[in-house]
Amino acid sequence: QVQLVESGGGLVQAGGSLRLSCAASTRTFRNYFMAWFRQAPGKERESVARVSWSGGNTYYADSVKGRFTISRDNAKNTVDLQMNSLKPEDTAVYYCAADPTDSRSYEYWGQGTQVTVSS
């Protein structure tokens, strides 16, 4: 079992920045691919960013490339999402997720944190 707890959401003006953090309760954090997903009202959940087990490889949705950065610290069992140049369309509930193999269906999920970007 892996428990994930997100923090760092909030309200920000367009063009601003936020940093989300996710803390994982597992002794085998380095064995999990980590990801951030988001779900806006009336829309399907989408993958925003993913990072490999060692942190050496990262993957981003086209909509956030160049603005968002995912990073992990395997010593602290955390994964962060730095979000810059935020847009109103980035408004959503953001979820941290973990999976052993980066499968289509991530196994473990956090409770989500709200990010609201005002225009």
Side-chain angles (χ1 to χ4, degrees):
Q1 284 286 345
V2 179
Q3 291 187 330
L4 303 171
V5 179
E6 303 99 335
S7 61
L11 174 64
V12 64
Q13 288 189 334
S17 298
L18 278 176
R19 188 176 184 89
L20 304 182
S21 186
C22 173
S25 63
T26 174
R27 293 183 177 181
T28 58
F29 181 70
R30 65 183 66 249
N31 291 347
Y32 292 90
F33 230 87
M34 298 300 298
W36 286 94
F37 290 77
R38 67 185 180 188
Q39 186 167 21
K43 295 187 177 181
E44 292 188 355
R45 185 166 57 194
E46 63 173 346
S47 172
V48 174
R50 292 148 47 226
V51 60
S52 61
W53 305 275
S54 66
N57 293 295
T58 56
Y59 309 89
Y60 297 94
D62 288 343
S63 58
V64 306
K65 279 181 183 177
R67 301 189 297 122
F68 291 11
T69 302
I70 188 171
S71 60
R72 67 187 293 162
D73 186 334
N74 285 346
K76 296 182 179 179
N77 284 12
T78 59
V79 58
D80 292 347
L81 185 68
Q82 177 66 42
M83 304 185 294
N84 298 329
S85 302
L86 282 161
K87 304 175 181 180
E89 51 263 44
D90 294 318
T91 295
V93 177
Y94 284 71
Y95 297 91
C96 175
D99 192 82
T101 61
D102 190 31
S103 68
R104 286 190 175 184
S105 180
Y106 266 56
E107 187 169 358
Y108 299 104
W109 294 84
Q111 81 287 353
T113 186
Q114 177 70 46
V115 171
T116 303
V117 184
S118 63
S119 57

